[in-house]
Amino acid sequence: MEIYMNKKLIAIAIATAVSAPAMAATSNVEVYGLMSMGVDSVNTDLLNGTSNRVGRVSDYASRIGFKGNEDLGNGLKAVWQIESGVTADGGTAAGNATNGSTSTATAGTGSIGGATTAFGGAALRNTFVGLSDQALGTVMIGKIDTPYKSSTGRLDQFSDTLGDYNNLVGAASGVAATSYFDLRPANVAAYATPNFSGFSAVAGYVFGGESATSGTASNGNAYSLGAMYDAGPLYLTAAYEKHNLGSGASGSLSTGLATAGLERKAWKLGAAYSIMDFTLATMYEKTDDNLGAAGVSAYGHNTWFLSGKYQMGAVALKAQYAKAGEIDNVANSGAKMYTVGADYGFSKRTTAYVLYTKISNDAAANYNFAYNAAPGSAAGADVAGFSLGMKHSF
């Protein structure tokens, strides 16, 4: 009996010794995620007087991720993150700028210019590896939200819902929301400065892709810049982004067209202020391009945005408004969006919400929902929807 017990103790000791390094090696890994689902009733009102109403269950950016860091000494850390969308409604991952999914579009107007181009894995979200130093800042490479996108994300009171501000902000009439700005591209190298008394900045460079091209054709490139001031109740930001579209047949920034010098660019200013239980935010965005005939702008326009939230204990009352101006050289191509709703926080991690949103398109405009677009839409059609949803983060 004693011999048996000794052997058992020895086996336990060996197993412990073998597993201890593995546990230590993974002890800095954090598992996190979000489950976000909504029950929607969406309606498309066509100009001929007909209407199309659809009831559905929609996934709103559900995700799972793993992240961690390793202390390398002297204030330096290795940082990493792997994050993937879940699409819990069983649908496809394609569909909007914020989730960085596959974009299918015509040449010259696709995901940063590509025709039928994916920014990396179809469901892959922010995924990167890098080095971080408290005094010097952070360098990352991977698939990352552009600084242009992330600089104003906090202004959106209905982020990752049917009323997401990307219905109009960063979008363009007649172009899929994946196709213009507020993107999450692959092949990104980014640098974020430390925080200097509330001031910080982020710069990102997007490579056109790994595929080589022949002759004088190019894969293109893009760069994105964002500056932020975040102190107390006040938040201010300015951002700029430019896409230099390549003329090659491959690469995520290539148009597939034998045309050089095609480009898109945008800038925006944003601000938010909180006083007691009330938060007010505003933003102005201006986009431009030379994708039209003879190099004129095909989708350039301006967008105004305003949002507000009033917190009453567990209840948050929210509203926001966006107005997209007419596309350059296209009459009656503007749109307006109205969204109202309320959240109820069961806890810090679990929230239920209800909202109503409507996009009123001018006669030549065709804006739609960035997440799970309303079916049967056409130029001049208004789209609207009620959504009752729930979010749980872990």
Side-chain angles (χ1 to χ4, degrees), residues 1 64 235:
M1 182 69 177
I64 186 168
Y235 177 76

Side-chain angles (χ1 to χ4, degrees), residues 168 171-173 284-287 299-304 321-328 330-336 362 365 367:
L168 263 63
S173 179
Y284 175 78
E285 176 181 59
K286 181 70 175 75
T287 67
Y299 306 106
H301 66 287
N302 60 62
T303 303
W304 286 96
Y321 168 81
K323 182 180 185 300
E326 290 188 347
I327 291 174
D328 297 340
V330 181
N332 301 314
S333 57
K336 300 180 182 69
D362 291 347
Y367 289 90

Side-chain angles (χ1 to χ4, degrees), residues 267-281:
W267 61 268
K268 59 183 173 181
L269 300 173
Y273 188 78
S274 298
I275 179 169
M276 299 183 70
D277 296 322
F278 184 73
T279 300
L280 181 68

Side-chain angles (χ1 to χ4, degrees), residues 311 313-316 342-353:
Q311 190 74 43
V315 177
D343 295 349
Y344 182 81
F346 290 99
S347 67
K348 290 183 178 180
R349 297 188 300 166
T350 303
T351 301
Y353 67 85

Side-chain angles (χ1 to χ4, degrees), residues 220-315:
N221 58 72
Y223 59 86
S224 183
L225 307 169
M228 290 73 65
Y229 175 75
D230 188 4
L234 179 64
Y235 177 76
L236 301 172
T237 185
Y240 176 81
E241 186 165 302
K242 183 178 181 181
H243 307 161
N244 299 305
L245 305 177
S247 57
S250 61
S252 59
L253 288 122
S254 296
T255 62
L257 304 174
T259 304
L262 295 181
E263 63 182 35
R264 285 195 288 260
K265 54 188 175 182
W267 61 268
K268 59 183 173 181
L269 300 173
Y273 188 78
S274 298
I275 179 169
M276 299 183 70
D277 296 322
F278 184 73
T279 300
L280 181 68
T282 187
M283 184 188 67
Y284 175 78
E285 176 181 59
K286 181 70 175 75
T287 67
D288 194 17
D289 61 62
N290 62 356
L291 301 178
V296 302
S297 175
Y299 306 106
H301 66 287
N302 60 62
T303 303
W304 286 96
F305 171 80
L306 180 68
S307 70
K309 181 180 76 169
Y310 182 68
Q311 190 74 43
M312 300 186 303
V315 177

Side-chain angles (χ1 to χ4, degrees), residues 20-79:
M23 290 295 292
T26 59
S27 61
N28 69 337
V29 177
E30 177 185 347
V31 180
Y32 68 95
L34 173 72
M35 289 301 299
S36 178
M37 304 288 290
V39 178
D40 306 335
S41 176
V42 299
N43 187 66
T44 304
D45 291 322
L46 301 174
L47 294 180
N48 61 8
T50 62
S51 179
N52 181 26
R53 181 172 294 277
V54 176
R56 65 194 187 190
V57 171
S58 297
D59 176 89
Y60 289 107
S62 295
R63 69 201 74 158
I64 186 168
F66 308 86
K67 61 183 177 180
N69 63 80
E70 180 186 11
D71 188 349
L72 302 177
N74 298 318
L76 185 65
K77 295 190 298 184
V79 294

